[in-house]
Amino acid sequence: MTRHLAGRRTTGLFSPAPGSRPAVLAGLGNGIVISAPLPAGLAVGNPQAAAWATLGAYLAAFTNKGGARGPRTRALLVAAVVDAAVFWIGARAAGLFPVTLVVLAALVFLAGMGTTVHPTLERLGTMPATALLVAAGAVGTTQTPAQLRPAALLVLAGGLWYAAATAVLTPAPRLRDVLRTLAQPYRAVGRTLSGLAGPSAPRPAPALTADALRRAEEATRALRGPRGDEHLADLTDPLVRKAATLADLTAALAATGPPPAAVAIPYTAATARAAQQVARLADHLTRRRPAPASGSAAETSVAPLEAACDRMRAQSAAGTQSYPDTARAGRQRRILGRIDAVLTAARTDAHRLAQLARTPLPSPATRAPRPTAARLRGTMTLTSATFRHALRATTVSTAVFALAQATALPHGEWATLAVLRVLRPQYAATRERVVQRVIGNLVGGSCAALLIAAVHTQSAICLILFVIITAGFTLRPVNYAFWVIFGTPVVLLIGDVSHPGDWHDALIRIAMTFLGTTAALLGSRLLWPSWEHPRLAAETDHARRATAAYLDTALRSLAGPAPDGDLAHARAAAEKAVARAQSTAHHAHREPGHDRAALDQESATVAALDTLVALIAALMTHRTARAAHVPALALYAGHAAPALDPPRGEDTAVHTDALAQAVEEMSLYLEDLHTRRRQELATERGGDTTVRVRIRETAPVIELLTTIAHTLPEPGRGPSPAT
């Protein structure tokens, strides 16, 4: 079992990042632009100069944080100049170890402080320090200081080339950029529906859908800004609202559980077709070639499921079918019918917007906030996580660099580079990067050794580099570990262009990576660590309060009219708080020195809160006038939120007992309705009788309220065993 879990964790290190698919094409363009100097150098017969220019473009590419074309191009030009200047300093200071050490310490510290000092430092990151280390490592191994200093101009040329090429190749902002963002929540809903159509439906991931919806809402909100387009915002708003409705209906469908056996086949077919239609709508928004439809338009309705439900109703009248199962199948049919209706309306909106995809949009105004002196002084203390990280990164990197110089380690700068690449503010994130870096260097370094041993012509090396850089930047958005695999041969082969290579360099690279990552891991644990597990209890309590507020607002909205704005605000606050608690729990599980049982309990509570948020959203899809008259709803509404987050000094048992009493009254009411409905069916009373309408409108509400009551985690404990 332990080996199985360890294998799953290792596989997860290489799993695609959510939402990375759209960035792959941009990564492909990045790779081509960066490696373009290589074939140019071959054409003019100077591959060594091409290698240095490629290095400049490579450094500049890591400072490309996206954004509007104008501000981004200016930032890339600044990065090209800074990287080249630092490279020149590294070459100039060759042999002056104290100078190089001081410059390295200053660059790493400023990179760690980031936007606290200036937004430009956030963009530059550790690339200036990388340029310094590359220059320092090249002196004495491949180049003399006199030979290397002119290479700074080539590094500058490569950075300028990258800035200019990306400015030319980046299209002007158009509506299609917004439509790509709007398509993401539809893709998330489609994946959830596909899971529900599977043989064993997995638990939906509401956090991913909620995150995609937030990005879509922000994109539409930007259209209403001072530099936006009100008309386009009026067209995109309904599409975002329909995506939110589909997400809630999908959550409601998941809450009904698996379908009864009598309708399993048509239910699965209808759900799978709905998932396919949602995916086709997202493809239409992003101008992707949609997948071929499986069946005619008439077959995409829920007609087969309706026929199966009718047969179940007849069997229930004959006493051969359970009426609660019949009611559940009918509820699933109605939800799928509502999904189909929303999809039909959304397709109309999507078609209208897709025709306007080429509409130009004004570039958004990007004004970086200026950090104040008071803010900077407040950050320069050990209570600041940013300051501790900057101090930790500076101490570990300079210590490793000094050790490598003192012991004359070959290519010791690679150990320092490994520190800069893996050290993160959180220990858990650092540990994950360490594993990815070590595995990637073992694979990439071994491949690089084989290439260096087998290929000796500069032209062949340049062509191989072109392929590796392009593939590496294409896969970089998918997962950092893939970039490490391709990045190792890049560094080694760029050096091999300038001089006959030595495959032993790959082995040295692997050894230096072990040294650097070990130092980073020790530094992250021992030097001013920022642990997540002490914060988990506070984050969980905050998520509990936010979820209780959302539950209270939803129940008040169910019992009577309530402003939709209050409900949306409460929901957004709960989703944000739960997502933050989930992130903290994820990091805390990978940290040493904590109480595993207490951590598991807090994580179970966070998981229960995540489920609650989805259940509450599903409950709101059944809000009708008759739902407000569910028996004991007022008793339930008065005690549900306090049972989840009791006021100080109050006994939780009082609220829990009252909640159990309310659920029992509702269950008895629903059981009585089912009994009366069976009697109606026995007497062959058809049509929409009062009892049937009450079951249709109140049964899903009662069942969801019961599930919510059983899911509520008690303060200081995990979720109820009834879950």
Side-chain angles (χ1 to χ4, degrees):
M1 180 66 177
T2 303
R3 285 196 301 270
H4 176 64
L5 289 175
R8 286 180 61 187
R9 289 195 187 105
T10 303
T11 305
L13 295 173
F14 293 85
S15 60
S20 60
R21 182 180 295 178
V24 167
L25 290 178
L28 175 62
N30 255 341
I32 293 174
V33 170
I34 293 166
S35 52
L38 292 169
L42 284 177
V44 300
N46 194 347
Q48 179 177 341
W52 289 121
T54 300
L55 176 65
Y58 172 90
L59 294 172
F62 277 93
T63 67
N64 186 353
K65 308 297 183 183
R69 177 164 49 179
R72 182 188 56 189
T73 302
R74 290 192 293 271
L76 289 174
L77 292 174
V78 171
V81 173
V82 171
D83 291 339
V86 173
F87 185 91
W88 181 85
I89 292 172
R92 185 79 175 177
L96 300 175
F97 169 70
V99 175
T100 306
L101 187 67
V102 170
V103 175
L104 175 66
L107 292 173
V108 174
F109 182 79
L110 290 173
M113 295 299 291
T115 53
T116 306
V117 177
H118 197 278
T120 301
L121 295 176
E122 180 72 19
R123 279 185 172 269
L124 292 176
T126 58
M127 287 303 104
T130 301
L132 179 77
L133 291 169
V134 170
V139 173
T141 56
T142 65
Q143 305 277 328
T144 65
Q147 293 173 325
L148 195 61
R149 282 193 287 271
L153 294 176
L154 295 170
V155 172
L156 174 63
L160 296 177
W161 151 253
Y162 178 82
T166 52
V168 172
L169 295 177
T170 301
R174 296 185 184 277
L175 181 62
R176 69 166 63 97
D177 303 322
V178 177
L179 297 185
R180 290 191 188 100
T181 305
L182 266 57
Q184 294 311 307
Y186 285 95
R187 293 201 189 283
V189 170
R191 286 191 291 268
T192 303
L193 285 170
S194 296
L196 294 176
S200 56
R203 179 185 167 206
L208 296 179
T209 306
D211 186 54
L213 278 170
R214 277 196 297 270
R215 290 196 300 269
E217 290 167 356
E218 289 170 1
T220 301
R221 199 177 302 120
L223 286 177
R224 293 197 182 278
R227 297 175 63 87
D229 189 314
E230 285 284 345
H231 173 64
L232 293 178
D234 290 338
L235 294 177
T236 56
D237 262 342
L239 199 60
V240 176
R241 287 197 296 271
K242 290 180 178 66
T245 302
L246 283 174
D248 292 345
L249 288 172
T250 304
L253 183 64
T256 63
V263 298
I265 293 176
Y267 167 87
T268 300
T271 307
R273 282 194 290 267
Q276 184 186 62
Q277 292 301 316
V278 175
R280 287 173 64 84
L281 187 151
D283 289 340
H284 189 53
L285 286 173
T286 55
R287 300 178 64 193
R288 266 193 214 169
R289 185 184 298 276
S294 58
S296 66
E299 292 175 343
T300 62
S301 67
V302 293
L305 182 58
E306 290 177 349
C309 289
D310 290 340
R311 288 193 295 271
M312 280 192 73
R313 194 177 301 112
Q315 292 168 355
S316 180
T320 59
Q321 186 65 256
S322 165
Y323 187 77
D325 283 348
T326 303
R328 178 155 53 94
R331 186 154 56 254
Q332 291 169 338
R333 173 186 60 79
R334 287 190 293 274
I335 293 175
L336 283 168
R338 292 174 64 184
I339 288 175
D340 187 62
V342 174
L343 265 175
T344 301
R347 277 196 295 268
T348 303
D349 295 338
H351 180 69
R352 185 186 304 118
L353 283 168
Q355 292 178 325
L356 302 173
R358 296 178 60 86
T359 303
L361 298 176
S363 299
T366 54
R367 181 176 299 175
R370 297 180 180 179
T372 62
R375 177 187 171 192
L376 183 58
R377 285 194 302 270
T379 308
M380 301 284 282
T381 64
L382 288 178
T383 58
S384 167
T386 301
F387 180 73
R388 290 200 306 272
H389 171 62
L391 204 58
R392 185 187 312 120
T394 304
T395 303
V396 176
S397 59
T398 52
V400 170
F401 185 70
L403 175 65
Q405 291 293 320
T407 57
L409 288 175
H411 297 297
E413 72 279 358
W414 287 345
T416 310
L417 283 172
V419 172
L420 299 180
R421 294 295 175 268
V422 304
L423 196 57
R424 290 296 178 268
Q426 297 88 12
Y427 173 84
T430 299
R431 196 179 78 167
E432 184 174 312
R433 281 288 179 112
V434 164
V435 176
Q436 291 174 326
R437 192 84 184 174
V438 169
I439 295 175
N441 270 276
L442 284 171
V443 177
S446 302
C447 295
L450 294 175
L451 289 172
I452 292 173
V455 180
H456 299 287
T457 61
Q458 291 181 329
S459 58
I461 291 174
C462 285
L463 291 176
I464 292 172
L465 267 174
F466 183 89
V467 173
I468 291 175
I469 292 175
T470 303
F473 272 86
T474 301
L475 293 175
R476 181 172 169 246
V478 176
N479 192 293
Y480 171 78
F482 289 120
W483 165 248
V484 177
I485 292 174
F486 287 95
T488 300
V490 167
V491 175
L492 292 169
L493 292 174
I494 281 182
D496 200 49
V497 171
S498 306
H499 68 293
D502 182 0
W503 65 271
H504 292 91
D505 282 355
L507 301 181
I508 296 173
R509 164 83 178 203
I510 294 173
M512 291 300 103
T513 295
F514 274 112
L515 174 61
T517 53
T518 302
L521 199 60
L522 289 173
S524 183
R525 179 166 183 173
L526 301 176
L527 299 177
W528 312 286
S530 297
W531 300 118
E532 294 287 298
H533 59 267
R535 298 176 46 243
L536 181 57
E539 294 287 2
T540 303
D541 287 342
H542 176 61
R544 184 191 292 272
R545 288 192 297 272
T547 306
Y550 177 34
L551 176 59
D552 183 59
T553 306
L555 291 174
R556 286 190 287 108
S557 175
L558 190 67
D564 288 338
D566 292 349
L567 187 62
H569 177 74
R571 177 177 180 173
E575 288 174 343
K576 184 177 179 180
V578 171
R580 191 162 53 242
Q582 286 177 320
S583 176
T584 303
H586 173 78
H587 289 305
H589 269 95
R590 289 159 174 77
E591 294 176 350
H594 54 71
D595 184 347
R596 174 64 64 176
L599 189 59
D600 289 343
Q601 180 177 304
E602 295 289 349
S603 299
T605 299
V606 173
L609 294 175
D610 186 39
T611 302
L612 275 176
V613 171
L615 290 173
I616 297 168
L619 177 66
M620 289 297 95
T621 64
H622 299 292
R623 184 171 48 171
T624 62
R626 195 178 294 274
H629 301 292
V630 169
L633 180 59
L635 178 64
Y636 188 103
H639 292 278
L644 177 59
D645 181 37
R648 187 181 301 275
E650 289 192 11
D651 186 5
T652 309
V654 174
H655 301 292
T656 304
D657 292 344
L659 205 59
Q661 179 185 344
V663 168
E664 185 177 0
E665 289 186 32
M666 293 177 186
S667 300
L668 291 173
Y669 170 75
L670 185 58
E671 185 178 345
D672 177 64
L673 288 179
H674 285 166
T675 302
R676 292 164 60 187
R677 181 57 182 161
R678 281 193 292 268
Q679 294 171 351
E680 287 183 349
L681 291 173
T683 58
E684 299 184 354
R685 287 187 61 187
D688 257 0
T689 65
T690 303
V691 174
R692 185 181 181 186
V693 172
R694 286 180 180 176
I695 292 176
R696 184 170 63 236
E697 297 191 3
T698 63
V701 174
I702 292 174
E703 291 183 4
L704 278 168
L705 289 174
T706 303
T707 305
I708 288 172
H710 290 160
T711 307
L712 292 177
E714 297 180 19
R717 295 179 55 186
S720 166
T723 309

